[in-house]
Amino acid sequence: MAIQNLKRPISADDYHRMAEDGLFAEDDRVELIEGEIVEMTAIGDSHTHRVRSLILQFHRRFLDRAIVDVQNPIRLGDWSEPQPDLTLLEWRDDAYASAPTAKEIILVVEVADSSVAYDRSVKGPLYSRQGIREYWLFDLRAKVLEVHRHPGPDGYRDVRRLRHGDSIAPEAFPDVVFAVSDLLGSAD
């Protein structure tokens, strides 16, 4: 008799119950992606530094215009709750008592060194299918900012790769222009 390997997806509600029941340690780096609990890669120094730099730059530029959220969960339907490195949210006075949904998200930012392939091939398409307006992927190894816009069920229809010397503004805030070199850090 063959043993059947049964696998069933975990809903976001089940995921929250598991956390409440103590199935995850406080320092476990996991997120829910399309019904599966995925262990996130360890955060290295260059990743940490780049995220901190982005936090400072975004806070300065979006003060009183949008909420800059860092490494907190976003709710994408019933089966996914990723934790992007940075999320720019529509302004709300309650500062989001529960996880924001795709329609409240202006921009999602992922910073990647070892996880770039995963962020590009798994998280990017998920963000697009859920209708997240704009997704920026910082590829630290290639020193490139990928800007993904115009989401659809088959992915973002507009993808650009920007480098030092280029500039970018989120579509929702065309007056907030960043030098890509400031966002990426030194070109060394």
Side-chain angles (χ1 to χ4, degrees):
M1 176 177 193
I3 297 175
Q4 189 175 10
N5 184 7
L6 299 175
K7 187 176 174 183
R8 76 170 186 87
I10 297 167
S11 72
D13 291 336
D14 291 340
Y15 180 67
H16 282 267
R17 277 191 288 279
M18 292 168 74
E20 289 167 7
D21 290 344
L23 277 116
F24 309 121
E26 191 170 320
D27 60 347
D28 282 351
R29 291 192 31 79
V30 295
E31 61 187 352
L32 184 67
I33 304 293
E34 297 184 326
E36 291 188 29
I37 298 171
V38 177
E39 187 171 4
M40 297 161 50
T41 58
I43 296 177
D45 290 341
S46 62
H47 181 280
T48 299
H49 178 257
R50 186 59 23 226
V51 171
R52 282 188 188 128
S53 175
L54 291 172
I55 292 166
L56 291 173
Q57 293 180 64
F58 272 65
H59 273 295
R60 285 184 197 128
R61 300 286 187 87
F62 295 107
L63 185 66
D64 298 329
R65 296 182 73 186
I67 295 173
V68 178
D69 202 22
V70 181
Q71 297 176 336
N72 285 319
I74 58 175
R75 184 77 176 253
L76 301 181
D78 293 332
W79 304 102
S80 295
E81 200 168 284
Q83 297 177 36
D85 288 308
L86 191 141
T87 309
L88 192 62
L89 304 170
E90 291 178 352
W91 184 264
R92 275 189 16 194
D93 289 333
D94 75 347
Y96 294 88
S98 59
T101 61
K103 67 180 180 183
E104 299 162 316
I105 296 169
I106 297 166
L107 169 67
V108 167
V109 176
E110 295 285 1
V111 175
D113 40 22
S114 62
S115 66
V116 70
Y118 180 78
D119 289 338
R120 187 181 291 129
S121 65
V122 175
K123 289 179 117 178
L126 170 65
Y127 296 149
S128 182
R129 283 190 304 277
Q130 293 295 323
I132 294 193
R133 300 174 239 179
E134 191 164 359
Y135 167 48
W136 292 4
L137 173 59
F138 286 85
D139 182 343
L140 297 180
R141 290 186 178 168
K143 296 181 177 22
V144 170
L145 168 59
E146 291 182 12
V147 176
H148 301 249
R149 292 178 169 162
H150 308 291
D154 297 322
Y156 287 93
R157 293 184 300 278
D158 180 13
V159 179
R160 292 184 291 149
R161 293 174 56 87
L162 305 177
R163 299 180 186 283
H164 290 273
D166 293 326
S167 60
I168 186 68
E171 277 193 322
F173 295 101
D175 61 311
V176 181
V177 179
F178 293 94
V180 172
S181 57
D182 291 341
L183 295 172
L184 287 170
S186 68
D188 303 344

